[in-house]
Amino acid sequence: MYDVRSRTVSFSERYGKAIVLIISWLAIFLFVYTAYTKAVEFDRFQRGLARLAILRPYSTFLAAFIIVSEFVIAVMLMFQRTILWGLYAFTAMITGFTVFILYLLISGSKLPCYCGGVIESLNWVQHSWFNLAFIILGLIGIYYAGATKNQ
């Protein structure tokens, strides 16, 4: 027997999809903006990574990997089929950046930020809070994307 109610989209499902859409577009904007800025100033970004002795041997590869990853994740967030994986990847990458920032804060390193654009104007503490906000948004997006996928 056909159940008419099964075709009705609930308010919470629409609300969840709207949240996922907004968070995805914020993440897309952030990653496209920073990846583009890093790509345009690739040498500067790579030299910035090379200033840390532990990253120096890998700085060229790491710089390219970060830029490509940010663009790929942004594309993943544009499609319904890959949005959940994109949110996982976005949240993981932002978490990795935050761990790196916390390492710099704890180690006392006085390196400038090479993230690109206006984000570079943030100090490391402000940058940590900025990233933490995006980690929380990513987790919220994962929750709602997973919940709406199962409905």
Side-chain angles (χ1 to χ4, degrees), residues 91-146:
T91 305
M93 195 156 193
I94 286 288
T95 301
F97 291 157
T98 306
V99 168
F100 178 70
I101 290 168
L102 294 175
Y103 164 77
L104 292 176
L105 282 170
I106 292 168
S107 70
S109 298
K110 301 293 184 211
L111 297 177
C113 173
Y114 295 100
C115 293
V118 293
I119 296 171
E120 286 184 16
S121 65
L122 301 174
N123 67 38
W124 288 120
V125 174
Q126 293 167 331
H127 208 310
S128 298
W129 285 109
F130 179 84
N131 284 11
L132 183 61
F134 272 95
I135 290 169
I136 292 168
L137 286 174
L139 292 172
I140 291 168
I142 289 167
Y143 172 79
Y144 281 107

Side-chain angles (χ1 to χ4, degrees), residues 50-92:
R51 289 182 66 185
L52 274 176
I54 194 169
L55 299 180
R56 191 169 298 126
Y58 316 104
S59 63
T60 302
F61 169 78
L62 197 54
F65 179 78
I66 289 170
I67 292 166
V68 169
S69 295
E70 287 178 337
F71 278 127
V72 168
I73 292 168
V75 170
M76 289 173 69
L77 291 166
M78 292 179 190
F79 300 99
Q80 189 63 39
R81 188 173 184 178
T82 56
I83 200 165
L84 182 58
W85 285 106
L87 286 165
Y88 278 123
F90 171 78
T91 305

